[in-house]
Amino acid sequence: MARRGRAPRSAAPRTLLWGLAVPGGATAGLVLSLVLTGRVSLIAVVAGAGLGLMFAVLIVAATWRSRVRDAAVARLHPGALTLIALRVVEADGFFESMTDVRPVDVGSTYAIAVDSRGVHVYSGGRAPHPLASIRWGEVTGIYRTAAHSAAFSYVMQQPTYEALTLHIDRPGHREIELPVPVMTWRTQPMSGDRLRALIRRVESIRRADR
């Protein structure tokens, strides 16, 4: 999610997804009971609806936490471009070598603030925890790559996303990449022309520091 001068957006697609979670779970329970027993089981329908409700609550809670953190980071960096990043397995090397936390402790998403000084990385919720600050002098490239969700690292076919990627060369550390799939109000991270436009925007902030 990018903040600062962005166009208003509708939350309708995500709201629709939440609204369909309960009836979707109930339908799944109905179908499963028919397949397994050949008859409708009220218990299966209720259990499916309950799982759907639990799924919706978890999504709402995670989204609320991300937005609270996004707003808190924006207050720490007035006027900065703030992004909500999806943690991917390709970023584990960055977290292991340049922060004081294990990748798994970062969470499924984290926040980034981009300003004239560089790129600032935060985890946490209402009280963001600073993980790293990368000066523009340490960023040797900004480009687009593919990355795989850390949330599905246990499956063979991991979802692949486009990412805004920083190439970092910090004295005393090995050169490393930080791939950042940028979350939006949609269920998928930013991609295509929108991601290319964001990369150009970040590049313009970087060039302004020179």
Side-chain angles (χ1 to χ4, degrees):
M1 181 163 45
R3 187 183 290 263
R4 192 182 74 171
R6 63 190 178 196
R9 59 180 185 254
S10 168
R14 181 165 289 180
T15 302
L16 179 61
L17 176 65
W18 297 340
L20 290 176
V22 175
T27 301
L30 173 63
V31 172
L32 186 62
S33 67
L34 286 173
V35 169
L36 295 179
T37 67
R39 58 189 179 84
V40 176
S41 169
L42 180 60
I43 294 176
V45 173
V46 172
L51 288 174
L53 178 61
M54 184 183 301
F55 173 72
V57 168
L58 289 174
I59 291 179
V60 171
T63 301
W64 177 84
R65 187 171 186 266
S66 294
R67 290 187 176 183
V68 168
R69 180 186 57 210
D70 184 30
V73 170
R75 289 192 295 271
L76 292 172
H77 299 274
L81 170 67
T82 59
L83 309 170
I84 297 300
L86 178 70
R87 186 170 67 85
V88 291
V89 293
E90 289 82 359
D92 284 357
F94 169 84
F95 292 115
E96 289 168 350
S97 64
M98 293 195 175
T99 75
D100 61 353
V101 299
R102 299 180 304 165
V104 69
D105 294 330
V106 174
S108 58
T109 64
Y110 56 97
I112 286 180
V114 181
D115 61 18
S116 60
R117 293 176 296 162
V119 178
H120 315 281
V121 184
Y122 292 86
S123 65
R126 185 184 297 275
H129 174 67
L131 297 178
S133 285
I134 307 155
R135 299 188 305 273
W136 284 126
E138 299 172 329
V139 177
T140 57
I142 304 173
Y143 41 82
R144 188 168 53 122
T145 62
H148 302 85
S149 172
F152 295 93
S153 58
Y154 54 86
V155 300
M156 293 184 64
Q157 295 296 325
Q158 298 167 279
T160 302
Y161 305 115
E162 292 184 57
L164 179 160
T165 299
L166 304 174
H167 187 274
I168 304 165
D169 186 5
R170 172 175 290 180
H173 293 75
R174 62 185 176 88
E175 293 185 31
I176 202 164
E177 288 185 336
L178 174 59
V180 180
V182 179
M183 299 302 294
T184 68
W185 57 270
R186 294 185 173 89
T187 56
Q188 295 291 315
M190 192 180 293
S191 62
D193 290 341
R194 293 187 66 202
L195 182 60
R196 283 188 283 271
L198 178 63
I199 290 174
R200 290 193 296 269
R201 187 175 175 186
V202 173
E203 275 282 18
S204 68
I205 298 174
R206 177 190 177 203
R207 287 194 299 269
D209 178 60
R210 296 178 177 178

